[in-house]
Amino acid sequence: MNSYIIEEKTGYLLFTINREDVRNAINYDVMEGIEKLLDMGKDKAYKALVITGAGESAFCSGGDLSAFHQLKTENESYQMLSKMSSILYRLLTYPKPTLAILNGSAVGGGCELASACDFRIGRKGLKAGFIQGKLAITTGWGGGSILLEKLGITNALKLLMTADLYDSEQLLAVGFLNELYDGDQQQACQLYIEKMLKLETEVLSAYKKMVVRKWEETNLQKRIQEEVSNCAKLWQSEAHHQKVTSFLLKNKKM
Ligand SMILES: CC[C@H](C(=O)O)C(=O)SCCNC(=O)CCNC(=O)[C@H](O)C(C)(C)COP(=O)(O)OP(=O)(O)OC[C@H]1O[C@@H](n2cnc3c(N)ncnc32)[C@H](O)[C@@H]1OP(=O)(O)O
């Protein structure tokens, strides 16, 4: 079964992480799928990109712990973290509107993926959290630096420094979610982007350029690279490896 599905919809591309059995955890296949989405999205036929997860339970549970647990040293983890942070920077600065539909829980890198999109709508009742801190690491794909750009500093630091799971109403209140939906996900998606799809793609990309220019002037990409380097240093700590091992043992993955 493919780790992801890319569907051509009228005016936009829909990317679905298709790994429901592991709560849509991101492995190298999914990373390659997002790169393929970003390449396909250049076509003028598409005015927007939408990202979601398969099933009702999870949007994305972050990095695939079974796959990435093999990465022990700072350098080994840096290669993976740097690869995904570059992909998320491409997504963040994409010259078209991008929407994450949180169809269920989003944790760790799943929240980083959602943060890299311009907009986030979430199913009522979901829980999400930047739980990296509970694994003795920080965000490592750029999500911390991006969150600090998109939410107020206090709200962003609260989500990052508590490493807690928050419910959909709380996430709406702090501005991580832009809207909540009940029921049909496709309808919620259509309702959210239909007005944007009526505009010329040149107008949409001109507005996106305004914010990308601000991020370029404030060295966001360099700040993301520092985040990645810091996470790689923490990654090799005994504390991090023990936390991941206990998760995998609890789920009989070791
Ligand atoms: C910089 C980013 C960073 C990185 O890795 O590089 C991160 O993303 S760090 C954070 C990594 N992610 C996690 O620690 C999340 C771990 N998962 C969970 O906390 C829960 O699974 C949750 C809250 C997402 C969903 O809980 P729920 O009770 O609904 O499901 P289960 O825990 O029973 O999980 C079902 C099934 O999926 C497997 N699973 C879930 N998440 C992952 C994952 N991230 N990697 C690998 N496998 C995952 C879990 O082992 C269960 O497998 P099963 O064979 O059914 O026992």
Side-chain angles (χ1 to χ4, degrees), residues 19-26 57-58 60-68 80-81 105-110 112 131-132 135 137-142 165 231 235 240 244 247-248 250-253:
R19 305 190 72 215
E20 209 177 335
D21 58 326
V22 286
R23 297 297 183 268
N24 297 321
I26 293 173
S57 164
C60 175
S61 61
D64 185 327
L65 294 168
S66 305
F68 300 150
M80 177 277 287
L81 295 168
S105 56
V107 292
E112 298 188 66
I131 53 123
Q132 288 88 334
L135 296 177
I137 55 173
T138 64
T139 51
W141 289 344
L165 287 176
C231 182
W235 187 284
H240 173 236
V244 175
F247 175 84
L248 294 172
K250 177 169 73 73
N251 287 282
K252 299 178 290 305
K253 294 276 173 86

Side-chain angles (χ1 to χ4, degrees), residues 167-186:
D167 67 35
S168 51
E169 300 294 340
Q170 292 169 311
L171 293 161
L172 184 71
V174 297
F176 181 70
L177 292 176
N178 305 108
E179 212 168 85
L180 302 186
Y181 72 89
D182 234 347
D184 186 85
Q185 174 178 321
Q186 283 309 307

